[in-house]
Amino acid sequence: MTSSAVTTVTTEPRRGTGFLPRAEFQHLIDLLGEDGRTVIGPTVADGAIVYGEVRAVSDLPVGMGAEQSPGRYRLVDHHDERYFAYAVGPTSWKRFVFPPTLDLAESHRDEHGHVSFGPVHHEIPKLAFLGVRACELAALGIEDRVLLGGPYTDEDFRKRREHALIVAVQCAEPGGTCFCTSMGTGPGVRGGHDVLLVELADGFLVSSGSEEGAGIVARLGLSAATEDQLVEGSDQLVAARDRIGDPVATAGLHDRLLAKLDSPRWAEIADRCLACTNCTAVCPTCFCTSVSQRSDLDGRTAVTERRWDFCFTKGFSAVALGGNFRPRVQDRYRQWLTHKFATWIDQFGTSGCVGCGRCITWCPVGIDVREELNLIAPPPVLGTEAQVAAHAPRTSVFHVDAVRPETHDTVTLALSTPDGMDWSRLHGEFVMVSVPAIGSIPISISRRLPTGMELTVRAVGPASTFVTGLERGAEVGLSAPLGHGWPVEAAHDHDVVIVGGGMGFPPLRPIVDEILAHRASFGEVHIYHGARTPSDLLYKEELAAWASRGDLDVGVTVDRADTTWLGRVGVVTQLFDHARWDGSKAIAFVCGPERMIQATVSTLAARGITQDRIFISMERHMECGVGLCGHCQVGPFFVCKDGPVFSLAQLGDVFGREGI
Amino acid sequence: MVRATSTPRPRLGVVKLASCDGCQLMLLNLEDALLSIAERIDIVEFPEATSHRSSGPYDVVLVEGAVSTPEQLETIHEVRREAKSLVTIGACATAGGIQAMRNWANHDAFRAAVYAHPEYVESLATAQPVSDYVKVDGELRGCPINGDQLLEFVAALLTGRRANLPDEAVCAACKRAGRVCVMVAQGIPCLGPVTMTGCGALCPGFDRGCYGCFGPREQANAASLGAQFVAMGQTPVEAGRLFAGFTGYAPPFRDVITELGGAPGIPAGHAPSPASTGTPSGGN
């Protein structure tokens, strides 16, 4: 749609349906190509019907179709005159509105260490999509919700979407892997188009779905379609629907599928699944991406490139220090299938699947989601925004005002912005820290300052190692604060239990700051910090100062002592499993390694703190920070956007589940 | 604040074992970038480019070739001692290469059949990847390696970031490039789904299946792909043989060859396991 991509309500001018004789189809192609538009449509290449440039009728797949079955696609010659008698092939329109690779930003670091960040501007081509099917219109609508639904939006996608004129063609020749009927997306077009064509034996029924489409149709100067022609068109559609049938029982599928997270079938699928990413790559709605930096040899100029990424690769769910939240192929397949058919609905109010069948046809080993869904979650029966035009956050240049070493590999940096903005008023739990040519990493805010913040960073990978080596006066790029933080206000008039393991302690420090600023608003406050060794303890002086106030209970422990250590030794839960406080009045805030969180949570639960009063911060592979790249998904949540702080009640049985 | 300018230039060595030199040539083929690289890196050893020899220590050493002779076995241990970081380049160094085909056969019989004076040829019974003998810090895959990946590796080395060398399947690059799957649309067997990307999906762009020269990707489900080749009409031996190329000795591919047959040089119906050398500690 050329206007307002998100609202796909059809404002049908309904000037009736015209008839375009087949011999005059070139006239339509020429009209679409006016105003500098390139017409993209079906064409035969490399043994398939793909989408490419169409200048003439002879570019179209005249008389061609394809046989499709799981893992198999073969062109067939129907020996007739039809142009659109095929079911969708391997290309989807996603490629044209959400390119496989895209340069997002450019960054620089000069010889004095000054850094700068800027966007890369792209010329957005004016395109006309010719031959868009009902399932594909549905897919574009889903992408609108995902990428433009907010709070962060993909402005490049918006422009490409708005620059594309859509000529839909009614489906008359479904393929052997289609199931749009089950997903409720087709085969009939129900809006989202500028022009709609129905191909008949001798020509095309033509109608419009937008003002711009109406203009084009008017210029074709068509005669009105006859009653017989209209019947021929609707008969074709009915026949198409009958041929597809209803292969997937979708009623209640969301709940049925999520109830089968422990099905043995996941492992059986993994025996066949190649984790090759083809299903996600051909899917018209899969939107996950990764970014990487290309730089010159000196690292002075770098370009941040975004590319399609896929939840089937190991790197997709990897985190620092070699961790991986979905180590097995069965975890990744489960993630993909449950996201498409269940948690997508929780996130975006629509299924992520349109039933186009591409993932079935183009799976090299022919795994059939229709079959798998019916096997994993067989039916009994029954079943089911406010958009903010804010682009992904801009990177601002911050100055390092002070550097305080915490341990041999960890420092606390005080950072301020030269633009004088009051950062203390911006909500959010973490920032993306960017270093030109090296990368971008999420770091929790460990203290809010009037013009900036403190970040406590441990040298783990290249970017964090670089950041920990920054000196006073150095520059670095920071996003605006992102994510949902600790609900400290909810702890007013409650006792507070704060438990931080290792590098999980810094994100908790702003809670202590907040409590100290309004000490009378809180009850008893217990702060527990565990570290591997005495030399890994953070904020030692601050902990001592808090302990000496008399109105905070501070406990510190290490896993392994050395000769200098006279304090507690043991895991952090030992600090409070027998402490003399009453959990029924407490709210807990917990952060640390996953295993430490699990142990802590069960101890806290045993002490009487209910799940709605235990808040944890989750670690996942966060890349974009704004819920658009897909990496950090946990069940129905994106950790960056919906978290990273969650209550246990919110997480439900997602918490602690392996491979999710 | 900026370290790169003050640090001394890294010392880089290129060391060749049993190989065709094609991967070293990729370094020379960088042409435009080569001079810039030479300004920023001390290339202290590079047999394809200069006869000048220098022993280590090296900050980084690129090792080309498989370990195929007793002398190379000594060399690789020596190089490991001299190198802060040892990076293997190419199918021979990372997977054993073409010469590892002899690991399935009788090495003495091969030697006698090929050479007039086999007694002059000193070689180990098997050709092994470098990682079977010493710890390897990084790999550049391929036969030969890819120039863009090499340049990315060098740029990352100089800037101190992690090189962007994805562990995904060839399929990912193939689909981003907008190619049509040759296996699904034409029934051509393709190793792309189990092979590490890095070549830009070259062969499927020319209507050929992937030959697997970048070797198995992480968790390569080669058994499932082999079974699919059989389902598509290949005999088990034909299917197994498809894996027995440049990187056939790499474990997931080797296992399929053992399972289906098709070991190099072995007639159909005989499917011995490859010779095992009782390899070595220190592998990764």
Side-chain angles (χ1 to χ4, degrees):
Chain A
M1 302 291 284
T2 47
S3 56
S4 167
V6 178
T7 36
T8 45
V9 180
T10 323
T11 50
E12 180 104 357
R14 207 66 213 168
R15 298 195 182 113
T17 300
F19 180 74
L20 176 70
R22 187 172 295 283
E24 291 171 26
F25 196 78
Q26 183 66 44
H27 186 198
L28 173 62
I29 297 176
D30 295 340
L31 275 181
L32 294 174
E34 286 184 2
D35 301 336
R37 286 187 195 281
T38 302
V39 180
I40 307 291
T43 185
V44 174
D46 303 324
I49 296 169
V50 300
Y51 298 148
E53 185 170 353
V54 171
R55 290 168 183 272
V57 165
S58 58
D59 292 327
L60 295 169
V62 182
M64 300 300 287
E67 285 173 7
Q68 300 195 39
S69 58
R72 191 171 187 280
Y73 179 103
R74 290 292 184 281
L75 280 177
V76 289
D77 192 341
H78 294 312
H79 301 290
D80 64 19
E81 292 300 311
R82 292 193 184 234
Y83 308 153
F84 298 97
Y86 60 87
V88 293
T91 340
S92 79
W93 302 103
K94 176 172 84 173
R95 156 173 301 287
F96 302 96
V97 288
F98 190 69
T101 59
L102 184 72
D103 288 346
L104 291 182
E106 208 176 77
S107 57
H108 304 273
R109 189 170 83 233
D110 71 13
E111 65 273 23
H112 307 296
H114 294 303
V115 297
S116 60
F117 301 85
V120 172
H121 294 286
H122 296 280
E123 185 98 2
I124 307 292
K126 286 182 76 175
L127 302 177
F129 296 166
L130 174 60
V132 183
R133 306 297 190 175
C135 60
E136 299 185 305
L137 285 165
L140 289 167
I142 290 172
E143 287 184 303
D144 290 345
R145 286 192 176 220
V146 172
L147 298 171
L148 303 178
Y152 294 101
T153 53
D154 181 335
E155 292 304 306
D156 183 83
F157 171 82
R158 183 197 300 280
K159 285 183 212 140
R160 287 176 202 275
R161 196 74 172 86
E162 286 172 356
H163 278 63
L165 186 85
I166 291 183
V167 182
V169 176
Q170 201 72 286
C171 188
E173 193 72 27
T177 56
C178 290
F179 59 110
C180 62
T181 44
S182 298
M183 300 316 297
T185 61
V189 169
R190 285 192 299 248
H193 58 283
D194 293 295
V195 177
L196 174 62
L197 306 177
V198 179
E199 184 170 30
L200 307 178
D202 301 328
F204 295 83
L205 301 176
V206 183
S207 57
S208 61
S210 71
E211 288 299 337
E212 189 164 13
I216 289 168
V217 173
R219 291 178 60 195
L220 283 168
L222 303 175
S223 58
T226 65
E227 192 61 30
D228 283 353
Q229 287 167 334
L230 291 172
V231 169
E232 185 184 347
S234 60
D235 283 354
Q236 281 181 178
L237 189 61
V238 169
R241 182 179 295 278
D242 289 348
R243 275 176 61 184
I244 300 168
D246 185 11
V248 178
T250 49
L253 182 59
H254 171 278
D255 292 356
R256 278 188 278 129
L257 196 54
L258 291 182
K260 293 298 173 65
L261 293 177
D262 299 317
S263 167
R265 185 68 187 169
W266 303 115
E268 291 164 24
I269 298 170
D271 284 343
R272 292 173 67 205
C273 176
L274 303 172
C276 62
T277 73
N278 277 299
C279 50
T280 55
V282 294
C283 177
T285 68
C286 273
F287 60 90
C288 290
T289 54
S290 280
V291 295
S292 59
Q293 301 224 353
R294 303 191 305 267
S295 72
D296 58 9
L297 290 174
D298 291 324
R300 294 275 175 261
T301 296
V303 174
T304 303
E305 180 191 84
R306 183 186 80 184
R307 62 183 184 284
W308 288 355
D309 203 355
F310 314 103
C311 52
F312 281 90
T313 68
K314 184 182 177 187
F316 190 82
S317 46
V319 292
L321 297 169
N324 200 306
F325 287 98
R326 289 185 213 115
R328 301 169 302 179
V329 170
Q330 70 182 77
D331 302 328
R332 304 178 203 165
Y333 189 87
R334 183 179 68 182
Q335 156 63 20
W336 178 70
L337 198 77
T338 54
H339 191 208
K340 280 284 150 201
F341 292 92
T343 51
W344 200 299
I345 299 171
D346 300 322
Q347 292 179 310
F348 304 113
T350 167
S351 170
C353 175
V354 298
C356 70
R358 287 182 177 92
C359 60
I360 304 170
T361 300
W362 299 96
C363 172
V365 295
I367 296 173
D368 187 337
V369 290
R370 297 170 299 184
E371 197 179 302
E372 297 305 334
L373 286 168
N374 289 336
L375 271 171
I376 294 167
V381 216
L382 291 179
T384 111
E385 90 219 72
Q387 184 206 334
V388 182
H391 192 22
R394 190 169 56 90
T395 302
S396 309
V397 175
F398 269 64
H399 289 166
V400 176
D401 297 331
V403 181
R404 190 174 62 250
E406 298 286 349
T407 74
H408 71 284
D409 62 0
T410 306
V411 302
T412 297
L413 303 173
L415 297 148
S416 68
T417 168
D419 67 12
M421 195 159 133
D422 184 357
W423 281 72
S424 64
R425 289 167 52 185
L426 293 177
H427 291 287
E429 174 62 14
F430 66 97
V431 289
M432 298 300 296
V433 180
S434 298
V435 181
I438 294 187
S440 213
I441 44 170
I443 301 285
S444 290
I445 296 168
S446 62
R447 172 157 290 158
R448 290 171 174 283
L449 303 171
T451 59
M453 65 196 75
E454 281 189 9
L455 301 178
T456 302
V457 187
R458 179 170 165 206
V460 172
S464 57
T465 302
F466 186 94
V467 171
T468 54
L470 291 172
E471 290 165 12
R472 190 166 183 274
E475 292 181 354
V476 69
L478 259 63
S479 70
L482 299 167
H484 292 286
W486 307 98
V488 183
E489 327 73 57
H492 283 177
D493 305 323
H494 284 78
D495 297 340
V496 182
V497 180
I498 296 170
V499 190
M503 283 303 291
F505 196 49
L508 297 162
R509 193 164 66 142
I511 303 175
V512 182
D513 289 346
E514 180 70 17
I515 289 172
L516 292 180
H518 307 97
R519 183 64 190 89
S521 306
F522 300 87
E524 290 179 21
V525 177
H526 308 279
I527 301 168
Y528 302 110
H529 177 35
R532 283 172 304 178
T533 70
S535 59
D536 291 313
L537 283 169
L538 301 169
Y539 313 134
K540 285 179 206 129
E541 289 173 15
E542 223 163 276
L543 282 164
W546 291 342
S548 66
R549 288 174 55 103
D551 60 352
L552 300 175
D553 166 34
V554 179
V556 175
T557 183
V558 298
D559 295 343
R560 290 191 312 277
D562 59 19
T563 52
T564 65
W565 181 251
L566 299 173
R568 293 281 297 256
V569 178
V571 296
V572 74
T573 49
Q574 290 171 358
L575 290 174
F576 54 88
D577 54 0
H578 296 101
R580 252 173 280 136
W581 43 255
D582 176 8
S584 67
K585 289 187 290 186
I587 284 196
F589 301 115
V590 185
C591 188
E594 189 117 324
R595 259 189 221 162
M596 168 266 169
I597 292 184
Q598 286 179 22
T600 300
V601 158
S602 48
T603 307
L604 293 175
R607 299 299 319 271
I609 308 186
T610 53
Q611 296 215 330
D612 57 324
R613 287 183 283 118
I614 300 178
F615 293 87
I616 67 168
S617 179
M618 293 197 84
E619 181 194 14
R620 280 297 184 274
H621 178 146
M622 291 201 277
E623 191 150 318
C624 73
V626 295
L628 291 175
C629 80
H631 284 266
C632 65
Q633 192 182 355
V634 175
F637 305 111
F638 289 130
V639 170
C640 67
K641 186 178 75 162
D642 305 313
V645 174
F646 297 92
S647 74
L648 280 193
Q650 224 182 329
L651 289 171
D653 71 350
V654 162
F655 176 71
R657 184 181 289 277
E658 190 188 353
I660 201 147
Chain B
M1 319 188 263
V2 176
R3 292 73 94 71
T5 47
S6 55
T7 46
R9 305 198 306 172
R11 285 169 61 87
L12 177 100
V14 183
V15 170
K16 168 192 158 61
L17 306 174
S19 62
C20 73
D21 291 24
C23 293
Q24 292 187 64
L25 277 175
M26 293 308 293
L27 183 50
L28 284 181
N29 284 351
L30 292 180
E31 293 178 353
D32 294 350
L34 194 58
L35 281 179
S36 317
I37 292 171
E39 283 169 10
R40 290 162 177 81
I41 294 181
D42 274 332
I43 302 178
V44 293
E45 166 115 16
F46 190 179
E48 185 68 26
T50 165
S51 53
H52 177 72
R53 285 286 180 281
S54 151
S55 59
Y58 313 104
D59 290 305
V60 179
V61 67
L62 303 178
V63 180
E64 178 197 72
V67 179
S68 179
T69 70
E71 191 190 353
Q72 287 163 352
L73 189 51
E74 272 179 43
T75 305
I76 194 62
H77 282 291
E78 188 187 320
V79 165
R80 178 68 268 188
R81 280 193 296 273
E82 293 289 320
K84 261 193 230 163
S85 175
L86 187 154
V87 176
T88 48
I89 60 170
C92 301
T94 57
I98 292 287
Q99 54 272 43
M101 285 187 181
R102 77 160 181 262
N103 300 357
W104 275 273
N106 183 324
H107 159 250
D108 290 328
F110 264 34
R111 191 159 51 176
V114 173
Y115 295 101
H117 291 283
E119 65 276 17
Y120 294 157
V121 181
E122 253 199 80
S123 56
L124 300 168
T126 58
Q128 307 276 141
V130 170
S131 62
D132 278 356
Y133 292 104
V134 297
K135 179 174 176 289
V136 168
D137 302 301
E139 289 184 337
L140 286 174
R141 304 280 198 91
C143 184
I145 56 169
N146 174 279
D148 292 337
Q149 285 207 331
L150 179 60
L151 201 55
E152 166 63 13
F153 173 80
V154 173
L157 173 72
L158 287 169
T159 52
R161 72 173 136 84
R162 193 172 287 130
N164 177 26
L165 303 169
D167 58 11
E168 63 199 19
V170 168
C171 302
C174 199
K175 283 292 177 294
R176 285 191 202 104
R179 307 225 162 93
V180 177
C181 179
V182 296
M183 195 159 146
V184 171
Q186 300 183 53
I188 299 171
C190 177
L191 293 186
V194 293
T195 300
M196 181 121 126
T197 189
C199 59
L202 205 53
C203 292
F206 291 94
D207 278 355
R208 305 296 301 259
C210 164
Y211 292 94
C213 32
F214 276 63
R217 54 181 285 250
E218 55 94 22
Q219 301 196 27
N221 192 348
S224 174
L225 188 63
Q228 184 68 14
F229 290 163
V230 173
M232 287 162 60
Q234 307 276 318
T235 67
V237 169
E238 284 168 347
R241 188 153 289 165
L242 291 164
F243 291 86
F246 309 94
T247 56
Y249 191 61
F253 292 179
R254 193 199 300 176
D255 295 344
V256 176
I257 297 164
T258 302
E259 170 78 22
L260 296 177
I266 308 296
H270 299 72
S273 297
S276 162
T277 48
T279 22
S281 55
N284 54 357

